[in-house]
Amino acid sequence: MVLLIHHPVSAISRKIRLLMAEKRILFVLREEEPWNLSPEIYKLNVAGELPIFIFDGNVIAGNYAITEFLEEVNPDVRLIGGDARQKAEIRRLTEWFDLKFEREVGRSLINEKVFKRFGKGLAPDSKVLKTALNNLNFHMEYIDWLCESRNYLAGSSFSLADVAAAAHLSIIDYLGDVPWEGYKNARLWYSKIKSRPAFKDILKDNIKGILPAKHYANLDF
Amino acid sequence: MVLLIHHPVSAISRKIRLLMAEKRILFVLREEEPWNLSPEIYKLNVAGELPIFIFDGNVIAGNYAITEFLEEVNPDVRLIGGDARQKAEIRRLTEWFDLKFEREVGRSLINEKVFKRFGKGLAPDSKVLKTALNNLNFHMEYIDWLCESRNYLAGSSFSLADVAAAAHLSIIDYLGDVPWEGYKNARLWYSKIKSRPAFKDILKDNIKGILPAKHYANLDF
C-alpha cells in the first residue's frame, strides 16, 4: 500500500498526487496541517516537510527523491521522457515552478492567506500580497509565452513540467488569485490540464475554512 | 567543448564543477558576478541564475536539469547509484543541502558577507549572521550523526549527497564559519572529501576581495 501524508496547500504534495494519478498508482491520503506538524512527522522526515511517501513500511521524503523514485519504478507512463536534452528542458521547467514560482509567488500568498490565519490567527499583510501578485503576472507571461509555440510547457508532450506548474498554480487558483484574463494561451493550457482524469481529485480539494474560488473546479472557466 | 558559467560563491556552481571533475569531464570556466549579471546571462537562462552549462552550443540551466543530465550522459562514474531506495536516500540528502541548508545557512551568510558588500557596499547585519550560524550547528550535528554510522552521507559509497554537502559547506568554510570543533565525524568526513582529486580546484577558489580562512585549503585542518 502507498500512503501519502499531505496537505492541500502543499504544492509539492499536489505534484506527487498528480504524478501518482497519471501513473495510475493507487494510494491513500492522510492530511497533516503544515503549521501544526505532529512529532511523528519529524520522525518520518527530519526536515519536517510534506509530503511524505510511504510504501510497505519504507519512507521516502523530499520532492526530488519522491519524484525521481516514482519515475524510475513506474516507467510505463513516462513524465520525464525524450532524449537527454528534452529531459533537461522538462527538469529545468519543473524546477522553475518548484523553486522560483514557489519563492516569488506561492510561499508569500499561502503564508499570508493560510498559514498566518490558521497558524497564528493573524491577518495577511497587503504589501506582501501585492508583491506576490505582481510576481505572479511575470510567471503567467512566461507560461503564456511557452504555450504560444508549444502544446505543453516543455514541448509537444505532456510532462512533469506541466504537472509541477499545474500543482503550484492550482492552489493560487483555489484562492482566486490567478489573473486568467489576458493570458489566453496559459488559460487554454490550464483547461487542458484540468480536463485530465488525474486532475479530478485536485479539483475536489478542500482547504478547511477557505472556500475555493467559484470557477476553481469548473473545466470551462 | 563544455563551458560552465559560474561564480565561486554559488554553491550549485561548485556542486556541478565537482560533479564534472568526479566524472572526468573536461570543462572551461567563466566567472560571472551573481550580484551584477550581464544581460547575456538572462538570454541564456531566463531565471537569471548560475551556473549555466553549455556544450556544443546547447544550453542547460538549473541545478536539477544539469545534475541529472550529467548523471545520464556520463554513466561510467555513477554518483546516484544503487537500487531505487538507495537513489532516493541520495536525492533526499542532496535536496537537504541544496534547499534546506541553502535556505537556513548559506543564503544568509553569503548574502550578508559577500552580496551586500560587493553588490551594495553595505556591512553585514549581525543578527542575521547569528541566526545563520546557529542554524549551521543544527546541520553540523546532522552531518555528524549521519557519519557516525555511515562511511559517506547517504550510505557506504561516495555519492551526489557528499558532493552537494561539500559544495555548500566549502563556501562557508572559505568564510571561516564552520565550527569544526565538536563535530569529529563531520570533520573526518570532510577531510576525506577534501582529499579527492576532484576537490583540488575548489580548494584553489578565490573570491575576489575576501581571503580564505587559513585552514581552507589545508587537507589536515
Side-chain angles (χ1 to χ4, degrees):
Chain A
M1 196 196 72
V2 173
L3 167 71
L4 193 79
I5 307 180
H6 84 124
H7 191 274
V9 297
S10 153
I12 303 299
S13 295
R14 286 186 175 217
K15 179 186 160 193
I16 300 301
R17 286 162 62 198
L18 284 167
L19 205 51
M20 289 194 289
E22 288 288 347
K23 287 176 176 285
R24 294 179 205 101
I25 299 167
L26 293 176
F27 59 96
V28 174
L29 285 172
R30 204 185 88 200
E31 205 170 306
E32 183 85 22
E33 291 175 339
W35 53 86
N36 188 26
L37 293 176
S38 62
E40 188 211 347
I41 294 297
Y42 288 90
K43 277 186 204 154
L44 294 170
N45 179 14
V46 199
E49 280 160 18
L50 301 177
I52 301 170
F53 176 93
I54 304 175
F55 69 103
D56 303 334
N58 295 292
V59 179
I60 298 188
N63 176 22
Y64 181 26
I66 304 172
T67 301
E68 293 288 331
F69 178 86
L70 286 172
E71 185 69 5
E72 183 171 346
V73 301
N74 302 276
D76 292 347
V77 178
R78 282 233 168 270
L79 288 165
I80 311 172
D83 62 11
R85 271 192 303 168
Q86 178 57 27
K87 287 181 186 169
E89 178 63 356
I90 294 169
R91 290 194 175 102
R92 177 183 76 84
L93 286 167
T94 300
E95 188 171 62
W96 177 289
F97 290 96
D98 285 351
L99 297 192
K100 194 175 173 68
F101 182 93
E102 213 278 313
R103 191 173 61 225
E104 297 177 354
V105 181
R107 193 181 304 169
S108 301
L109 287 180
I110 294 165
N111 187 42
E112 294 299 324
K113 290 194 163 187
V114 188
F115 279 57
K116 264 171 97 170
R117 179 165 164 196
F118 296 108
K120 300 175 190 166
L122 293 170
D125 180 330
S126 61
K127 225 175 122 186
V128 175
L129 290 181
K130 207 181 153 188
T131 306
L133 292 171
N134 272 340
N135 292 342
L136 177 56
N137 278 300
F138 162 73
H139 288 274
M140 292 306 294
E141 265 171 43
Y142 191 47
I143 294 176
D144 207 63
W145 180 80
L146 288 169
C147 294
E148 209 181 311
S149 58
R150 296 172 173 186
N151 283 335
Y152 289 98
L153 291 190
S156 55
S157 310
F158 177 78
S159 77
L160 180 67
D162 300 290
V163 171
H168 288 268
L169 259 187
S170 67
I171 301 177
I172 313 301
D173 198 39
Y174 184 102
L175 299 172
D177 286 330
V178 180
W180 291 114
E181 298 303 321
Y183 302 108
K184 209 180 57 182
N185 305 311
R187 192 175 186 157
L188 197 67
W189 161 81
Y190 192 56
S191 75
K192 270 196 294 190
I193 307 295
K194 259 181 145 175
S195 309
R196 298 181 73 86
F199 216 75
K200 250 186 206 157
D201 277 340
I202 298 290
L203 297 179
K204 284 185 209 144
D205 259 3
N206 178 28
I207 304 170
K208 260 174 230 152
I210 301 180
L211 286 175
K214 271 185 192 161
H215 69 272
Y216 174 70
N218 198 340
L219 292 184
D220 189 26
F221 58 108
Chain B
M1 195 196 71
V2 173
L3 167 71
L4 192 80
I5 308 179
H6 84 123
H7 191 276
V9 297
S10 153
I12 304 298
S13 295
R14 286 185 175 218
K15 179 186 161 191
I16 301 300
R17 285 162 63 197
L18 284 168
L19 206 49
M20 290 195 289
E22 288 288 346
K23 287 175 176 286
R24 295 180 205 101
I25 299 168
L26 293 175
F27 58 97
V28 173
L29 285 172
R30 203 184 89 200
E31 204 169 307
E32 182 86 23
E33 290 175 340
W35 52 87
N36 187 26
L37 292 176
S38 62
E40 188 211 349
I41 294 298
Y42 288 90
K43 279 186 202 152
L44 293 170
N45 180 13
V46 200
E49 279 160 18
L50 300 178
I52 301 172
F53 176 92
I54 304 176
F55 69 102
D56 303 336
N58 296 292
V59 179
I60 298 188
N63 175 23
Y64 181 26
I66 304 172
T67 302
E68 292 289 331
F69 178 87
L70 287 173
E71 185 69 4
E72 184 171 344
V73 302
N74 302 278
D76 292 346
V77 178
R78 283 233 168 270
L79 288 165
I80 310 173
D83 64 10
R85 271 191 304 168
Q86 178 58 27
K87 287 180 185 170
E89 178 65 356
I90 293 170
R91 290 192 174 103
R92 177 184 76 83
L93 286 167
T94 300
E95 189 170 63
W96 178 290
F97 291 97
D98 284 352
L99 298 192
K100 195 174 172 68
F101 183 92
E102 212 279 313
R103 192 173 62 226
E104 297 177 356
V105 181
R107 193 181 302 168
S108 301
L109 287 181
I110 294 164
N111 187 43
E112 294 301 324
K113 292 196 163 185
V114 188
F115 280 56
K116 264 171 99 171
R117 177 164 164 194
F118 296 107
K120 300 174 189 164
L122 294 170
D125 180 329
S126 62
K127 225 175 123 187
V128 176
L129 289 181
K130 205 181 153 188
T131 305
L133 293 172
N134 272 340
N135 292 342
L136 176 56
N137 279 301
F138 163 72
H139 289 273
M140 292 306 294
E141 263 171 46
Y142 192 45
I143 294 175
D144 207 62
W145 179 80
L146 288 170
C147 294
E148 207 180 312
S149 57
R150 296 173 173 183
N151 282 334
Y152 290 97
L153 291 190
S156 55
S157 309
F158 177 77
S159 78
L160 180 67
D162 301 290
V163 171
H168 287 268
L169 259 187
S170 67
I171 302 177
I172 313 303
D173 197 39
Y174 184 103
L175 299 172
D177 286 331
V178 181
W180 292 114
E181 297 303 320
Y183 301 109
K184 206 181 58 182
N185 304 311
R187 191 174 186 155
L188 197 66
W189 161 82
Y190 192 57
S191 74
K192 270 196 292 190
I193 307 295
K194 260 181 144 174
S195 310
R196 297 181 73 86
F199 216 76
K200 250 187 205 156
D201 277 341
I202 298 291
L203 296 179
K204 284 185 208 143
D205 259 3
N206 176 27
I207 304 170
K208 261 174 229 150
I210 301 180
L211 285 175
K214 270 185 191 160
H215 68 274
Y216 175 69
N218 197 341
L219 293 183
D220 189 26
F221 59 109

